Amino acid sequence: MSRYEAVIFDKDGTLFDFGATWGAWARRVLGDLAEHDTALAGRVASALGFDLATARYDPDSPAISGTIAQTAAIIAAVMERPRPEIEAFLTRRATDARAVPVAPLAPLLNALSARGLRLALATNDSLAPPLAQLRAAGIEWLLSEVRTAGPGVRPKPHPDMLLSIAAALKLAPARVLMVGDSRADIAAARAAGMDVVAVLSGPTEPVSLAGADAVIDHIGMLPSWLDAAGQCHP
């Protein structure tokens, strides 16, 4: 019997390149939100751990693993504007963002499916952006389950989304592998009773991923890791 029956992926930093997807995007969005008030945009960027000049996030940026609602709350506090207004704006702009894949996703996910693995997604994003990005990448149909943070579903590092996926697939958590790029992914997997592979394709410092069962460069290396871990072809 194979070691795992399903794989749950994080989205940003795992399936999609975090910096390439959200770096220049954030610079444009913060500029638009601040109505091109450079000083205000700078204060918001500082609160988010984002460098406007380089379009790079600090590894400890609350925007990396936070929900859109949490990010909106930080921005709203700095700008003294209503949080729901900021959240709606961010959601709309994120839905239109062009997500840059870390690796050719359709061939990779098809190959994993051919092993008999069921595939799923758990992201702290709200629902509309990931659905649009998965559809644009041509992989939406390859995912059995998609979970996002929202009312009644706590974001990672809480295990809610992972346990919900395991229950929907009728699998024991120990039969499910989590793949992510952040401390929140590792903590959620541990709390859910799942093994976890961390990838180095996100903005998190490698030392912060030490709690994973394994660390690989990117998800393109996952099939080789699965072979070494005893996940044989059907």
Side-chain angles (χ1 to χ4, degrees):
M1 176 187 273
S2 298
R3 185 171 177 180
Y4 305 111
E5 295 184 63
V7 178
I8 300 174
F9 293 100
D10 170 57
K11 180 171 72 74
D12 297 315
T14 303
L15 293 179
F16 299 107
D17 186 299
F18 192 95
T21 300
W22 300 112
W25 176 91
R27 187 158 52 190
R28 290 192 302 271
V29 165
L30 293 184
D32 291 346
L33 270 173
E35 297 180 338
H36 306 289
D37 179 332
T38 304
L40 178 57
R43 291 197 298 275
V44 174
S46 179
L48 293 174
F50 179 72
D51 188 319
L52 282 171
T54 63
R56 297 184 64 177
Y57 292 84
D58 184 271
D60 293 320
S61 166
I64 291 175
S65 296
T67 65
I68 283 184
Q70 290 168 337
T71 301
I74 294 170
I75 295 172
V78 175
M79 300 187 72
E80 299 181 347
R81 289 172 58 181
R83 184 197 56 77
E85 172 190 311
I86 301 295
E87 184 176 351
F89 179 86
L90 293 179
T91 299
R92 184 168 62 253
R93 293 291 293 268
T95 302
D96 295 334
R98 177 181 174 271
V100 179
V102 166
L105 295 179
L108 173 63
L109 297 192
N110 271 303
L112 294 173
S113 293
R115 293 170 175 255
L117 290 164
R118 299 171 74 181
L119 309 176
L121 181 83
T123 173
N124 282 355
D125 207 343
S126 55
L127 184 60
L131 290 183
Q133 291 152 10
L134 295 172
R135 193 174 301 118
I139 60 171
E140 182 185 22
W141 66 279
L142 289 166
L143 298 169
S144 300
E145 301 289 334
V146 173
R147 294 291 185 277
T148 60
V153 181
R154 296 177 297 176
K156 296 173 289 183
H158 299 288
D160 300 21
M161 288 186 279
L162 309 192
L163 292 174
S164 173
I165 289 171
L169 297 178
K170 296 181 171 55
L171 294 174
R175 304 291 295 162
V176 181
L177 176 69
M178 175 68 198
V179 180
D181 71 303
S182 71
R183 291 189 296 262
D185 294 316
I186 295 171
R190 291 291 179 234
M194 297 177 182
D195 287 351
V196 56
V197 169
V199 291
L200 295 172
S201 50
T204 304
E205 296 286 353
V207 68
S208 298
L209 303 176
D213 294 290
V215 179
I216 59 178
D217 286 345
H218 55 78
I219 56 169
M221 300 176 66
L222 186 60
S224 296
W225 183 86
L226 288 168
D227 288 340
Q231 178 72 30
C232 301
H233 293 271

